[in-house]
Amino acid sequence: DATSFQGAKLLNGNYDYQTTGVVAADVQNLQIASAHLTSGAAKTVTVDVTTSAQFGKISYATGTLVDNVTLQIGGNQGTTQISLATGSTNANLATAINGVKSATGVSALVSSDTKLYLTSTGYGSKQFVSLNTVSGTFVPSGNKATGRDAIVTVNGATAQADGLSVNYRSSDLDLSFDLQNTGAVNVTGGTTNFNISGGGATFSLGSKVTEDGKASIGLQSVSTGSLGLAGKYLSSLGSGQTNNLGSANLTTSQQIIDAAVKQVSQLRGRLGAFQKFTIGSTVNSLGVALENSNAAESAIRDTDFAQETSALTRSQILAQAATTVLAQANAQPQQALALLKG
């Protein structure tokens, strides 16, 4: 709220982009870094999912353990071991695995067909589930499984995806968002669209005010009610709030802080890059042009002075030569007359 430049507030969301038609069940954590809005007209963004994101999954069909079993469960958060007694069911297995979910990043559930499924808590090719039998009889469908990143296009062009997180950059649009894992868009053939209706900070960098000579950047709010996860912001860490540090939600609190640090770092990087490489390079170019103009003007002035000096010297030489010739011409008749007189 206190950061301003020439009276304009910079970090309170005043220069963030405005959007319409965003379906919260399809897209969350939408951040628009830059959008070129021609003549201020709204820009439509169409998101198409050609391949959905998936988490790593391992299944187990046998319902009851025939002996004591020790399993080693591994995921993106870590690895741990669990032990189960003879006669344990898939429901018992699921309860034991979910009991260490925060330490492993692996969750379990029993489906309607009584099969046990172990899945990573996150989506994408960086997420995995590993399951190894340390002792006893236990044969799952596999020992390790990795997830899959979504394949997404934005306005017909391929975007980069890490699980459900999507980043798209082009000459006229730079944005990032997360696909909702429970929505209708994270399926093969899923689609959604929204509009960027205005906002952003626009700079005219060309010698003339044209659309091609404009550059825009979005500055989202960095208040405690805006930084963090969707619906779980830094403000929720305060005393008496849902995710305060005295509650049992320490894992969620850490995720909120990590997300906030990442968002602030990304904003600082974007602002620094925009200032140095977009505005700074233009200022440097204008400085070089000014220096060249001054050098040209100086050269022109020096050339005029030298030329006029040369012209003056030439005129003086011609005048002196003419005077000398005239004097010589007058002297010859006088000499002839002097001879006649003699």
Side-chain angles (χ1 to χ4, degrees):
D1 290 335
T3 303
S4 62
F5 179 75
Q6 294 186 345
K9 300 294 184 181
L10 299 179
L11 301 177
N12 64 347
N14 186 44
Y15 289 105
D16 199 1
Y17 288 99
Q18 291 94 46
T19 59
T20 59
V22 179
V23 180
D26 295 337
V27 172
Q28 63 179 354
N29 296 331
L30 175 62
Q31 298 287 340
I32 303 172
S34 176
H36 188 185
L37 306 179
T38 304
S39 300
K43 188 178 190 66
T44 300
V45 180
T46 301
V47 179
D48 294 310
V49 179
T50 56
T51 302
S52 62
Q54 292 184 357
F55 36 58
K57 179 186 291 187
I58 294 176
S59 63
Y60 175 71
T62 304
T64 304
L65 299 181
V66 297
D67 56 4
N68 295 334
V69 171
T70 299
L71 302 175
Q72 181 170 287
I73 311 296
N76 283 71
Q77 300 300 323
T79 302
T80 190
Q81 292 185 358
I82 59 173
S83 298
L84 299 110
T86 303
S88 296
T89 64
N90 282 351
N92 300 135
L93 285 167
T95 300
I97 293 170
N98 288 328
V100 294
K101 179 172 63 175
S102 61
T104 61
V106 177
S107 62
L109 61 86
V110 179
S111 64
S112 58
D113 59 0
T114 70
K115 282 187 177 182
L116 175 69
Y117 289 95
L118 280 69
T119 60
S120 59
T121 54
Y123 287 77
S125 59
K126 297 179 182 177
Q127 305 292 323
F128 73 95
V129 177
S130 66
L131 177 60
N132 295 289
T133 304
V134 178
S135 63
T137 304
F138 190 88
V139 183
S141 62
N143 294 326
K144 185 176 181 180
T146 59
R148 183 177 71 189
D149 298 325
I151 299 178
V152 181
T153 62
V154 176
N155 290 347
T158 302
Q160 294 181 339
D162 181 5
L164 295 171
S165 299
V166 180
N167 289 279
Y168 175 77
R169 292 178 178 85
S170 68
S171 59
D172 62 348
L173 183 62
D174 184 349
L175 54 78
S176 63
F177 57 87
D178 295 334
L179 300 175
Q180 281 278 33
N181 58 342
T182 58
V185 70
N186 184 35
V187 295
T188 300
T191 184
T192 187
N193 59 74
F194 55 89
N195 296 318
I196 303 173
S197 55
T202 302
F203 297 80
S204 182
L205 303 178
S207 59
K208 296 182 179 180
V209 181
T210 62
E211 293 297 332
D212 292 338
K214 293 181 180 179
S216 299
I217 187 172
L219 306 177
Q220 67 267 28
S221 172
V222 294
S223 65
T224 57
S226 302
L227 296 175
L229 304 173
K232 302 174 183 178
Y233 302 109
L234 279 179
S235 56
S236 68
L237 302 181
S239 299
Q241 301 299 318
T242 306
N243 299 301
N244 71 84
L245 300 183
S247 68
N249 299 327
L250 293 181
T251 301
T252 302
S253 300
Q254 182 63 57
Q255 292 173 348
I256 293 173
I257 294 174
D258 288 343
V261 170
K262 181 179 179 180
Q263 290 165 357
V264 171
S265 298
Q266 289 177 337
L267 178 59
R268 292 181 66 184
R270 289 197 298 107
L271 287 175
F274 188 82
Q275 176 180 339
K276 181 175 182 179
F277 298 111
T278 303
I279 297 179
S281 62
T282 301
V283 171
N284 292 338
S285 177
L286 291 175
V288 172
L290 177 60
E291 181 179 353
N292 291 339
S293 297
N294 290 335
E297 180 183 5
S298 176
I300 291 172
R301 289 181 179 274
D302 292 344
T303 301
D304 289 345
F305 180 81
Q307 182 178 2
E308 294 299 329
T309 302
S310 299
L312 176 62
T313 302
R314 179 176 181 274
S315 298
Q316 291 175 341
I317 292 173
L318 291 176
Q320 292 174 359
T323 302
T324 301
V325 170
L326 181 60
Q328 291 177 352
N330 291 333
Q332 290 177 354
Q334 293 298 328
Q335 292 175 356
L337 291 175
L339 291 173
L340 292 174
K341 290 180 180 181

